Amino acid sequence: MTKRMLMVMTSHDVMGDTGNKTGMWLEEFAAPYYAFKDKGYTITLASPMGGQVPIDPNSLADDAMTENAIRYTKDELARSAMAATIPLEDVRAEEFDAVFYPGGHGPLWDLSDNAHSIKLIEEMIAASKPVCAVCHAPIVLKDVKAPNGEYLVKGKAVTGFSNSEEAAMELTDVVPYLVEDELEKSGGKFEKADDFTVKVCSDGLLVTGQNPPSSRPAADALIALLS
């Protein structure tokens, strides 16, 4: 039977009080999406609000347009799916084999404290199904509890967009949360590579990636767990 992959993305499109646009980082969706698609997985896209997912305009700049990002721009089916995501509240964990959260700054606002997202992840883990999040998206894990009542990330190797990477973007004082700080507060053993280099942590059912270049390696780690 083909694997059923859920990808959960942000609906948030403004960077704090700056007025600048944000959203999902395209490479962090496109690289995993095509990794899953090329494996024959059935893919469902969801977001807190449903409908069109905002794409961070910075991820459409020439220097950010990877092979997979370019493939997405020419893929009418994928773009149509991105415009018609299902509302997160309508998602049922039992219908999927795994869940993947792409980053971008958007999730720091609308997925960090989202009750539907927390419930989804808790149900996936309780059913022994893997969860993966990359870059800013590991913020979705900060309040998730394991079946034993402890924080899910407690004692686990995790990664995500690091404090030094956020500082390099000059956004430390703009974002509502710093991924590194929040995962450490919840007891996670935060690991990081040099800024903007590949880092993936795979610990039990949890896979996390540090930044955009880590999105395909994180997807590959998730695929390995499913096979």
Side-chain angles (χ1 to χ4, degrees):
M1 250 180 74
T2 182
K3 298 294 183 188
R4 302 160 300 171
M5 179 65 64
L6 176 66
M7 298 184 78
V8 178
M9 292 154 292
T10 185
S11 297
H12 187 86
D13 66 352
V14 183
M15 187 75 81
D17 300 325
T18 65
N20 296 328
K21 289 293 186 184
T22 189
M24 179 195 70
W25 196 265
L26 182 55
E27 166 68 2
E28 295 171 27
F29 166 79
Y33 176 82
Y34 290 114
F36 304 144
K37 185 180 169 84
D38 294 345
K39 288 289 284 185
Y41 290 6
T42 300
I43 305 169
T44 300
L45 308 185
S47 63
M49 304 283 289
Q52 179 69 55
V53 170
I55 295 174
D56 188 319
N58 293 317
S59 72
L60 301 171
D62 288 345
D63 62 350
M65 288 302 283
T66 60
E67 188 180 325
N68 286 302
I70 292 166
R71 182 177 172 186
Y72 167 82
T73 64
K74 298 174 179 175
D75 185 341
E76 198 172 322
L77 274 176
R79 286 186 290 114
S80 296
M82 186 72 77
T85 63
I86 64 173
L88 190 51
E89 65 184 334
D90 294 340
V91 167
R92 298 291 170 263
E94 63 265 21
E95 295 176 3
F96 301 98
D97 297 302
V99 60
F100 187 99
Y101 285 78
H105 280 88
L108 295 178
W109 278 273
D110 69 346
L111 285 168
S112 50
D113 305 291
N114 187 291
H116 298 298
S117 176
I118 292 167
K119 180 172 181 279
L120 169 69
I121 296 170
E122 289 179 348
E123 289 178 352
M124 294 294 286
I125 295 295
S128 298
K129 296 173 178 179
V131 173
C132 182
V134 296
C135 199
H136 289 89
I139 198 69
V140 304
L141 303 169
K142 74 181 183 66
D143 294 325
V144 173
K145 299 287 180 67
N148 66 1
E150 302 263 25
Y151 283 115
L152 177 63
V153 299
K154 184 179 178 183
K156 283 194 163 57
V158 288
T159 190
F161 207 64
S162 65
N163 289 355
S164 56
E165 287 171 318
E166 205 69 84
M169 302 295 292
E170 299 182 351
L171 291 168
T172 302
D173 297 328
V174 174
V175 296
Y177 295 112
L178 294 171
V179 176
E180 180 176 340
D181 286 358
E182 293 303 319
L183 293 182
E184 287 185 337
K185 277 184 204 169
S186 298
K189 294 193 288 190
F190 194 89
E191 300 180 4
K192 55 190 169 183
D194 292 341
D195 290 358
F196 308 106
T197 61
V198 173
K199 174 67 180 178
V200 173
C201 290
S202 190
D203 192 332
L205 294 167
L206 201 54
V207 179
T208 45
Q210 183 172 327
N211 44 35
S214 306
S215 53
R216 174 61 196 252
D220 288 339
L222 182 60
I223 288 168
L225 278 181
L226 285 171
S227 53

